[in-house]
Amino acid sequence: MLLFTPGPTPVPEFVRQAMATPTLHHRTPEFEAIFKEARERLLSLLGMDECVMVASSGTGAMQACMINLCEKKALTINAGKFGERFGKIADAMGTEKIELCYEWDTPATVADVEKVLHENKDIDAIFIQVCESAGGLRHPVEAIAKRAKEINPQIMIIADGITAVGVEKIDVSHIDALVTGSQKALMLPPGLAMIGLSNKAVEKIGKGKDYYFNLAIEIKNQQKNTTAWTAATTLIIGLNAIFDEIDKEGIDALYEVTAKRAKATQAALEAIGFAMYPKIPALCMSTVLDEDAEAIRKLLKTKYGVNIAGGQDHLKGKIFRINQMGLIPVYESAWVVNAIELALDELGRRAFDGAANRMFNETYFKA
Ligand SMILES: *Cc1c(COP(=O)(O)O)cnc(C)c1O
């Protein structure tokens, strides 16, 4: 079965092999050398001044940012499940918040954020997804961050890049925290969260807050290539293995093929009559609005060996989402659009003529 859900993504054989080596103790020179290597490569991937790796799912890192980087009031951008999660974290932490809500196909705008910031001078941190995975949209996070900093240079911009880091180059000039997780574009098992930080963010963290997620304690330890608590040793070994593979062609090559695959998939789906759900589609996944979404997913799973994701909440049964993150062989993506075209034929909607595959190949290889 091809796993084509936008997280978790498949863990490649070479990563599984790397992680099958005997357990290392985390307080040893051997592991510190591995940690140092992973940390340097992560800093380069994120393009930020500082970074920390924590043993948790992505949500833990989102919460760590809320606790350590927001002192007064948060602005949370909710255009889907993950933006909504930032709001729920604020509520759980007792952090005052303003929430900007959008339909799940609609990205936030600079103008809306500007208005809220003018009306709420006490907002000291903005929480937003780079890609909101619920509807597969791309927020204009760089533009929002830039404008927010013009209005208030002290404001913290926390970007959840869990489905953007490793997918595309993110301009982090005005971003203070960039969150990612192991089980998306980095193709590792779940359980490792990573946060890139600006120097300004490190300054604001100061002595840090919280116990497990005290970022000041983590930074102090991780600068010495160790962690405050037991490190996710196996996952960090896997992280170096995935970096080894990415480095063979270089990260820019991965960005390029990811964008090409996403564009080819979109063109193929449009060629057989589908419409993309989000107004601005992200590159991490291809999201289609379709009344037969569940029937198509079921046929893919039972007949064609492909597992794609559906929608959640009010989009349950209305959309399907195809992963584009990670090192995906192009013939697998071509098979997915082909399988979808076969499913349409089976549902009596459109006779199969190979249009999806033809368009995929034309767009991918002739672009
Ligand atoms: C997957 C994902 C998360 C992380 O969720 P966890 O289940 O806690 O790892 C956060 N934000 C976005 C945008 C995601 O896609």
Side-chain angles (χ1 to χ4, degrees), residues 57-59 62 82 85 129 131 133 160 162-163 183-184:
S57 87
T59 307
M62 293 165 74
F82 296 98
R85 187 170 300 178
Q129 274 58 45
C131 304
S133 312
D160 166 3
I162 298 182
T163 44
Q183 79 274 29
K184 307 280 170 86

Side-chain angles (χ1 to χ4, degrees), residues 253-280:
L254 177 58
Y255 294 152
E256 200 185 314
V257 293
T258 303
K260 267 170 55 176
R261 232 189 306 104
K263 280 181 192 142
T265 301
Q266 180 172 341
L269 294 170
E270 285 170 349
I272 52 171
F274 288 110
M276 304 307 282
Y277 171 67
K279 288 178 183 147
I280 308 284

Side-chain angles (χ1 to χ4, degrees), residues 44 70 97 127 133 225 232 274 286 356 359:
S44 151
C70 182
K97 74 158 201 291
F127 296 83
S133 312
N225 301 313
F274 288 110
S286 307
M359 181 58 87

